[in-house]
Amino acid sequence: MSTRHREQHKLGTVGWLRAAVLGANDGIVSTSSLILGVAASHATHQGILVAGIASLVAGAMSMATGEYISVQSQADTEQAALAKERDELGENPKGEHQELTNIYIARGLDAALAKQVASQLMTHDALSAHARDELGITEAFSAKPLQAAIASAMSFAAGAVLPLLVAAFAPLEHLILSVAIASLIFLAFLGGLAARTGGASVLRGILRVTFWSVVAMAATAAIGALFGTVV
């Protein structure tokens, strides 16, 4: 009875994990810090919630816009590189064949096998072969601006809504402490989950996220208390 050998690697999750963690972490830290700053200024409960909602919407839109522009620039660069490669294949196919052969030789194939592999791949799809092995562009990892923008906005909003919900239901006199503790719990869980999924140290991931989040929240709360209204 034959068994199929499957290897489980963490590297496949790194790309989406980094983007999701970055967006959710920004959402929690930004919104909770703003809520704490506004609350420390002795604002009303309604004013705190309005500020939190504004932070969620503005942050999500900012993340989406920034991610779209960044990834679209990458997509434009990839398309320009592919267009240039397409022209070179039309103008000098022998030179491009030799270039692909040299790539495979550098990876460990002997010259005869490298030449044969290059010939077969170029016969099948020359542009795809050069895009993948010369330029490092593949369909799975090619830039997708709209998808990246939507994912960034959603991950930010998912993170931002957590401290906002705590602020909405916590009594005003306990709001600062409730939001701070809840946000740190959310961030610790997020940092630990990301570290575990990526195969890194869970404790280190938790400490790294919570430490810098405490710094951000404390700084914003201090500013709110310093320049806020006196009651």
Side-chain angles (χ1 to χ4, degrees), residues 128-155:
S128 292
H130 280 269
R132 180 182 61 252
D133 295 320
E134 181 184 347
L135 304 177
I137 300 174
T138 63
E139 178 62 27
F141 296 101
S142 61
K144 298 177 177 63
L146 188 58
Q147 178 181 333
I150 293 173
S152 293
M154 290 181 64
S155 62

Side-chain angles (χ1 to χ4, degrees), residues 32-58:
S32 62
S33 296
L34 181 62
I35 288 173
L36 293 178
V38 175
S41 71
H42 304 292
T44 63
H45 201 168
Q46 182 179 3
I48 295 170
L49 294 180
V50 170
I53 294 171
S55 174
L56 187 156
V57 175

Side-chain angles (χ1 to χ4, degrees), residues 22-34:
L22 178 63
N25 185 80
D26 280 356
I28 296 173
V29 175
S30 299
T31 304
S32 62
S33 296
L34 181 62

Side-chain angles (χ1 to χ4, degrees), residues 18-224:
R18 177 186 175 277
V21 168
L22 178 63
N25 185 80
D26 280 356
I28 296 173
V29 175
S30 299
T31 304
S32 62
S33 296
L34 181 62
I35 288 173
L36 293 178
V38 175
S41 71
H42 304 292
T44 63
H45 201 168
Q46 182 179 3
I48 295 170
L49 294 180
V50 170
I53 294 171
S55 174
L56 187 156
V57 175
M61 295 303 297
S62 177
M63 288 285 288
T65 301
E67 192 72 8
Y68 182 86
I69 293 172
S70 175
V71 178
Q72 184 61 60
S73 297
Q74 179 186 341
D76 292 342
T77 301
E78 290 178 357
Q79 291 303 315
L82 289 173
K84 181 180 179 181
E85 194 64 33
R86 188 180 293 106
D87 291 340
E88 291 175 351
L89 284 168
E91 295 170 0
N92 186 17
K94 291 185 178 180
E96 290 300 302
H97 179 274
Q98 185 60 48
E99 188 174 28
L100 200 59
T101 299
N102 292 338
I103 290 174
Y104 298 143
I105 292 175
R107 292 181 181 177
L109 298 182
D110 60 60
L113 181 57
K115 184 176 182 179
Q116 181 181 2
V117 171
S119 296
Q120 291 186 359
L121 289 177
M122 289 188 66
T123 299
H124 175 69
D125 190 338
L127 183 60
S128 292
H130 280 269
R132 180 182 61 252
D133 295 320
E134 181 184 347
L135 304 177
I137 300 174
T138 63
E139 178 62 27
F141 296 101
S142 61
K144 298 177 177 63
L146 188 58
Q147 178 181 333
I150 293 173
S152 293
M154 290 181 64
S155 62
F156 183 96
V161 77
L162 298 176
L164 186 57
L165 287 174
V166 175
F169 291 102
L172 184 58
E173 60 270 20
H174 301 304
L175 189 146
I176 292 179
L177 185 61
S178 298
V179 170
I181 292 176
S183 296
L184 290 176
I185 292 174
F186 294 146
L187 289 163
F189 175 77
L190 187 64
L193 178 63
R196 181 177 177 82
T197 305
S201 169
V202 173
L203 180 59
R204 187 178 302 171
I206 292 173
L207 292 176
R208 182 168 48 235
V209 170
T210 54
F211 173 78
W212 290 110
S213 300
V214 167
V215 172
M217 293 180 200
T220 311
I223 292 173

